[in-house]
Amino acid sequence: MASEVPMSPELEQVDGEIHDIFRALQNGFNKMDKIKDSSRQSKQLEDLTGKMKECKRLIKEFDRILKDDEKKNSADVNKQLNDKKQMMIKELNSYVTLRKTYQSSLGNKRIELFDTGNDQVAEDNVQMASEMSNQQLIDAGRKQMDQTDQVIERSKKVVAQTVEVGSQTAVALTQQTDQMKRIGNELDSVHFSLKKASQMVKEIGRQVATDKCIMAFLFLIVCGVIAIIVVKIVNPHNKNIRDIPGLAPPAQNRKLLSIEDFRRL
Protein backbone atom coordinates (compact mmCIF):
# COMPACT_ATOMS: atom_id res chain seq x y z
CA MET A 1 0.00 0.00 0.00
CA ALA A 2 1.45 3.33 -1.01
CA SER A 3 2.15 5.85 1.73
CA GLU A 4 2.74 9.58 1.67
CA VAL A 5 5.31 9.26 4.47
CA PRO A 6 8.85 8.65 3.12
CA MET A 7 10.04 5.20 4.25
CA SER A 8 12.95 2.92 3.59
CA PRO A 9 12.30 -0.08 1.30
CA GLU A 10 12.41 -2.49 4.25
CA LEU A 11 9.98 -0.40 6.28
CA GLU A 12 7.68 0.04 3.30
CA GLN A 13 7.57 -3.74 2.77
CA VAL A 14 6.57 -4.35 6.40
CA ASP A 15 3.95 -1.61 6.13
CA GLY A 16 2.43 -3.27 3.05
CA GLU A 17 2.29 -6.69 4.77
CA ILE A 18 0.54 -5.14 7.79
CA HIS A 19 -2.12 -3.50 5.62
CA ASP A 20 -2.67 -6.77 3.75
CA ILE A 21 -3.38 -8.48 7.09
CA PHE A 22 -5.76 -5.68 8.06
CA ARG A 23 -7.74 -6.25 4.86
CA ALA A 24 -7.84 -10.00 5.57
CA LEU A 25 -9.05 -9.35 9.12
CA GLN A 26 -11.79 -7.04 7.89
CA ASN A 27 -13.02 -9.59 5.35
CA GLY A 28 -12.80 -12.40 7.92
CA PHE A 29 -14.91 -10.59 10.52
CA ASN A 30 -17.43 -9.63 7.84
CA LYS A 31 -17.94 -13.36 7.18
CA MET A 32 -18.48 -14.17 10.87
CA ASP A 33 -22.13 -13.08 10.85
CA LYS A 34 -22.80 -15.32 7.85
CA ILE A 35 -21.46 -18.41 9.65
CA LYS A 36 -24.19 -20.08 11.70
CA ASP A 37 -22.32 -23.15 12.94
CA SER A 38 -20.47 -22.51 16.23
CA SER A 39 -17.61 -24.87 15.41
CA ARG A 40 -16.97 -23.08 12.13
CA GLN A 41 -17.14 -19.74 13.93
CA SER A 42 -14.55 -21.01 16.43
CA LYS A 43 -12.30 -22.15 13.59
CA GLN A 44 -12.73 -18.78 11.87
CA LEU A 45 -11.77 -16.98 15.10
CA GLU A 46 -8.66 -19.16 15.43
CA ASP A 47 -7.60 -18.23 11.88
CA LEU A 48 -8.23 -14.55 12.58
CA THR A 49 -6.28 -14.82 15.85
CA GLY A 50 -3.32 -16.24 13.93
CA LYS A 51 -3.47 -13.29 11.55
CA MET A 52 -3.59 -10.87 14.50
CA LYS A 53 -0.52 -12.54 16.02
CA GLU A 54 1.32 -12.17 12.73
CA CYS A 55 0.21 -8.54 12.54
CA LYS A 56 1.51 -8.00 16.07
CA ARG A 57 4.89 -9.44 15.07
CA LEU A 58 5.05 -7.21 12.01
CA ILE A 59 4.22 -4.11 14.09
CA LYS A 60 7.09 -5.01 16.44
CA GLU A 61 9.33 -5.38 13.37
CA PHE A 62 8.06 -2.00 12.10
CA ASP A 63 8.95 -0.44 15.46
CA ARG A 64 12.45 -2.01 15.40
CA ILE A 65 13.21 -0.75 11.90
CA LEU A 66 11.83 2.66 12.83
CA LYS A 67 14.22 2.91 15.78
CA ASP A 68 17.16 1.82 13.60
CA ASP A 69 16.33 4.49 10.99
CA GLU A 70 15.52 7.18 13.56
CA LYS A 71 18.86 8.92 13.13
CA LYS A 72 18.61 8.84 9.34
CA ASN A 73 15.19 10.49 9.19
CA SER A 74 14.19 14.03 10.10
CA ALA A 75 12.22 14.78 13.24
CA ASP A 76 9.06 15.41 11.21
CA VAL A 77 9.37 12.09 9.36
CA ASN A 78 9.98 10.23 12.63
CA LYS A 79 6.89 11.84 14.11
CA GLN A 80 4.77 10.82 11.11
CA LEU A 81 6.08 7.24 11.25
CA ASN A 82 5.39 7.03 15.00
CA ASP A 83 1.86 8.31 14.40
CA LYS A 84 1.46 5.66 11.71
CA LYS A 85 2.58 2.99 14.17
CA GLN A 86 0.05 4.21 16.74
CA MET A 87 -2.71 4.02 14.12
CA MET A 88 -1.69 0.43 13.35
CA ILE A 89 -1.85 -0.47 17.03
CA LYS A 90 -5.28 1.15 17.40
CA GLU A 91 -6.62 -0.66 14.35
CA LEU A 92 -5.29 -4.00 15.59
CA ASN A 93 -6.80 -3.39 19.03
CA SER A 94 -10.16 -2.67 17.37
CA TYR A 95 -10.02 -6.15 15.82
CA VAL A 96 -9.01 -7.61 19.20
CA THR A 97 -12.09 -5.99 20.75
CA LEU A 98 -14.25 -7.37 17.93
CA ARG A 99 -12.77 -10.82 18.52
CA LYS A 100 -13.66 -10.58 22.23
CA THR A 101 -17.28 -9.95 21.28
CA TYR A 102 -17.51 -13.08 19.15
CA GLN A 103 -15.37 -15.09 21.58
CA SER A 104 -17.59 -14.31 24.57
CA SER A 105 -20.59 -15.72 22.71
CA LEU A 106 -18.66 -18.95 22.05
CA GLY A 107 -17.45 -19.32 25.67
CA ASN A 108 -13.77 -19.04 24.79
CA LYS A 109 -11.25 -17.33 27.00
CA ARG A 110 -10.42 -13.72 26.21
CA ILE A 111 -7.16 -12.59 24.64
CA GLU A 112 -5.13 -9.40 25.03
CA LEU A 113 -2.51 -8.42 22.46
CA PHE A 114 -1.82 -4.86 23.66
CA ASP A 115 -2.10 -3.09 27.02
CA THR A 116 -4.65 -0.24 26.96
CA GLY A 117 -2.87 3.09 26.66
CA ASN A 118 0.58 1.37 26.25
CA ASP A 119 2.60 1.48 23.05
CA GLN A 120 4.49 -1.76 23.80
CA VAL A 121 3.19 -5.05 22.44
CA ALA A 122 2.13 -7.55 25.13
CA GLU A 123 3.12 -11.22 25.08
CA ASP A 124 0.51 -13.86 24.30
CA ASN A 125 -0.55 -15.60 27.51
CA VAL A 126 -3.96 -17.08 26.59
CA GLN A 127 -4.52 -20.71 25.72
CA MET A 128 -6.64 -21.35 22.62
CA ALA A 129 -9.85 -23.34 22.96
CA SER A 130 -8.54 -26.11 20.70
CA GLU A 131 -5.62 -26.66 23.08
CA MET A 132 -7.72 -26.78 26.27
CA SER A 133 -8.75 -30.01 28.01
CA ASN A 134 -12.33 -30.90 28.81
CA GLN A 135 -11.91 -29.91 32.46
CA GLN A 136 -10.42 -26.57 31.44
CA LEU A 137 -13.29 -26.01 29.06
CA ILE A 138 -15.78 -26.83 31.84
CA ASP A 139 -14.00 -24.49 34.26
CA ALA A 140 -13.93 -21.76 31.65
CA GLY A 141 -17.63 -22.30 30.96
CA ARG A 142 -18.47 -22.13 34.69
CA LYS A 143 -16.43 -18.96 35.05
CA GLN A 144 -18.21 -17.48 32.07
CA MET A 145 -21.58 -18.45 33.58
CA ASP A 146 -20.63 -16.83 36.90
CA GLN A 147 -19.67 -13.67 35.08
CA THR A 148 -22.93 -13.81 33.14
CA ASP A 149 -24.90 -14.21 36.40
CA GLN A 150 -23.14 -11.16 37.85
CA VAL A 151 -23.95 -9.19 34.73
CA ILE A 152 -27.60 -10.28 34.96
CA GLU A 153 -27.79 -9.22 38.62
CA ARG A 154 -26.34 -5.83 37.79
CA SER A 155 -28.79 -5.54 34.90
CA LYS A 156 -31.69 -6.37 37.25
CA LYS A 157 -30.58 -3.60 39.63
CA VAL A 158 -30.34 -1.17 36.75
CA VAL A 159 -33.81 -2.20 35.53
CA ALA A 160 -35.26 -1.78 39.04
CA GLN A 161 -33.71 1.66 39.35
CA THR A 162 -35.00 2.54 35.89
CA VAL A 163 -38.52 1.41 36.82
CA GLU A 164 -38.40 3.46 40.02
CA VAL A 165 -37.21 6.54 38.16
CA GLY A 166 -39.90 5.94 35.55
CA SER A 167 -42.58 5.75 38.26
CA GLN A 168 -41.39 8.98 39.84
CA THR A 169 -41.33 10.61 36.43
CA ALA A 170 -44.88 9.40 35.72
CA VAL A 171 -46.11 10.85 39.03
CA ALA A 172 -44.40 14.15 38.31
CA LEU A 173 -45.90 14.24 34.81
CA THR A 174 -49.36 13.51 36.23
CA GLN A 175 -49.01 16.37 38.71
CA GLN A 176 -47.81 18.69 35.99
CA THR A 177 -50.72 17.62 33.77
CA ASP A 178 -53.24 18.40 36.54
CA GLN A 179 -51.56 21.73 37.16
CA MET A 180 -51.73 22.56 33.46
CA LYS A 181 -55.44 21.70 33.46
CA ARG A 182 -56.04 24.00 36.42
CA ILE A 183 -54.11 26.77 34.72
CA GLY A 184 -56.17 26.22 31.58
CA ASN A 185 -59.42 26.48 33.55
CA GLU A 186 -58.22 29.66 35.25
CA LEU A 187 -57.28 31.14 31.90
CA ASP A 188 -60.75 30.33 30.57
CA SER A 189 -62.29 32.06 33.60
CA VAL A 190 -60.10 35.11 33.13
CA HIS A 191 -60.98 35.20 29.42
CA PHE A 192 -64.70 35.00 30.24
CA SER A 193 -64.36 37.75 32.86
CA LEU A 194 -62.51 39.98 30.41
CA LYS A 195 -65.20 39.38 27.81
CA LYS A 196 -67.98 40.31 30.26
CA ALA A 197 -66.05 43.38 31.41
CA SER A 198 -65.60 44.45 27.81
CA GLN A 199 -69.33 44.12 27.20
CA MET A 200 -70.11 46.13 30.34
CA VAL A 201 -67.69 48.87 29.31
CA LYS A 202 -69.40 49.06 25.93
CA GLU A 203 -72.84 49.27 27.60
CA ILE A 204 -71.64 51.99 29.95
CA GLY A 205 -70.13 53.86 27.03
CA ARG A 206 -73.42 53.71 25.13
CA GLN A 207 -75.35 54.91 28.20
CA VAL A 208 -72.92 57.78 28.76
CA ALA A 209 -73.22 58.80 25.12
CA THR A 210 -77.03 58.70 25.35
CA ASP A 211 -77.01 60.77 28.55
CA LYS A 212 -74.72 63.32 26.93
CA CYS A 213 -77.04 63.62 23.94
CA ILE A 214 -80.07 64.12 26.22
CA MET A 215 -78.24 66.69 28.31
CA ALA A 216 -77.16 68.55 25.20
CA PHE A 217 -80.73 68.53 23.83
CA LEU A 218 -82.11 69.80 27.16
CA PHE A 219 -79.43 72.46 27.26
CA LEU A 220 -80.44 73.65 23.80
CA ILE A 221 -84.11 73.76 24.83
CA VAL A 222 -83.31 75.75 27.97
CA CYS A 223 -81.15 78.14 25.97
CA GLY A 224 -83.98 78.60 23.46
CA VAL A 225 -86.53 79.27 26.20
CA ILE A 226 -84.25 81.77 27.88
CA ALA A 227 -83.65 83.49 24.57
CA ILE A 228 -87.40 83.81 23.90
CA ILE A 229 -88.01 85.16 27.40
CA VAL A 230 -85.28 87.71 26.99
CA VAL A 231 -86.66 88.82 23.63
CA LYS A 232 -90.20 89.05 25.01
CA ILE A 233 -89.03 91.18 27.87
CA VAL A 234 -86.99 93.45 25.67
CA ASN A 235 -89.59 93.75 22.90
CA PRO A 236 -93.02 92.76 24.20
CA HIS A 237 -94.90 94.06 21.09
CA ASN A 238 -93.01 91.80 18.69
CA LYS A 239 -95.72 89.79 16.96
CA ASN A 240 -93.29 87.42 15.27
CA ILE A 241 -92.54 85.73 18.61
CA ARG A 242 -95.24 83.46 19.86
CA ASP A 243 -96.20 83.43 23.51
CA ILE A 244 -94.50 80.87 25.58
CA PRO A 245 -96.95 78.37 27.07
CA GLY A 246 -97.41 79.02 30.78
CA LEU A 247 -96.03 82.51 30.54
CA ALA A 248 -98.60 85.33 30.99
CA PRO A 249 -98.74 87.87 28.19
CA PRO A 250 -97.39 91.29 28.98
CA ALA A 251 -99.82 93.63 30.71
CA GLN A 252 -101.42 96.27 28.47
CA ASN A 253 -101.16 99.96 29.32
CA ARG A 254 -104.16 101.05 31.27
CA LYS A 255 -105.31 104.59 31.81
CA LEU A 256 -106.10 105.72 35.30
CA LEU A 257 -109.68 106.95 35.80
CA SER A 258 -109.98 110.46 36.91
CA ILE A 259 -112.42 111.60 39.58
CA GLU A 260 -114.64 113.02 36.91
CA ASP A 261 -114.77 109.81 35.03
CA PHE A 262 -115.49 107.99 38.22
CA ARG A 263 -118.37 110.35 38.90
CA ARG A 264 -119.72 109.78 35.44
CA LEU A 265 -119.93 106.19 36.10
Side-chain angles (χ1 to χ4, degrees), residues 220-241:
L220 291 175
I221 293 174
V222 171
C223 290
V225 172
I226 293 172
I228 293 173
I229 293 173
V230 171
V231 172
K232 275 290 187 179
I233 293 172
V234 173
N235 190 6
H237 299 289
N238 190 352
K239 301 299 183 179
N240 295 325
I241 300 176

Side-chain angles (χ1 to χ4, degrees), residues 169-181:
T169 304
V171 172
L173 288 175
T174 302
Q175 293 176 353
Q176 291 178 359
T177 302
D178 295 338
Q179 185 177 4
M180 292 298 293
K181 288 181 179 179

Side-chain angles (χ1 to χ4, degrees), residues 116-170:
T116 303
N118 192 351
D119 296 340
Q120 298 297 327
V121 180
E123 296 294 334
D124 290 328
N125 56 1
V126 178
Q127 195 174 15
M128 299 302 301
S130 60
E131 300 174 357
M132 295 172 66
S133 63
N134 291 335
Q135 185 62 38
Q136 289 175 331
L137 288 172
I138 292 172
D139 293 339
R142 288 177 178 175
K143 184 177 180 181
Q144 187 68 29
M145 291 176 63
D146 292 338
Q147 293 176 352
T148 304
D149 291 338
Q150 293 176 2
V151 172
I152 292 173
E153 290 297 326
R154 289 195 297 269
S155 300
K156 287 181 178 179
K157 292 180 180 179
V158 172
V159 170
Q161 294 175 356
T162 304
V163 171
E164 184 178 358
V165 173
S167 301
Q168 294 176 358
T169 304

Side-chain angles (χ1 to χ4, degrees), residues 21 25 29 45-59 92-100 111 113-114 124:
I21 293 177
L25 288 173
F29 279 110
L45 282 178
E46 290 180 10
D47 293 340
L48 294 174
T49 301
K51 288 183 174 60
M52 285 188 283
K53 290 180 179 179
E54 178 64 17
C55 185
K56 178 196 69 175
R57 185 190 66 79
L58 290 173
I59 291 176
L92 180 57
N93 277 330
S94 66
Y95 288 117
V96 171
T97 303
L98 189 59
R99 183 188 184 281
K100 289 179 182 180
I111 183 172
L113 293 180
F114 295 98
D124 290 328

Side-chain angles (χ1 to χ4, degrees), residues 200-216:
M200 292 178 65
V201 169
K202 291 180 181 179
E203 291 292 336
I204 292 172
R206 284 195 292 267
Q207 292 177 1
V208 170
T210 303
D211 293 341
K212 287 183 178 180
C213 290
I214 293 173
M215 292 297 294

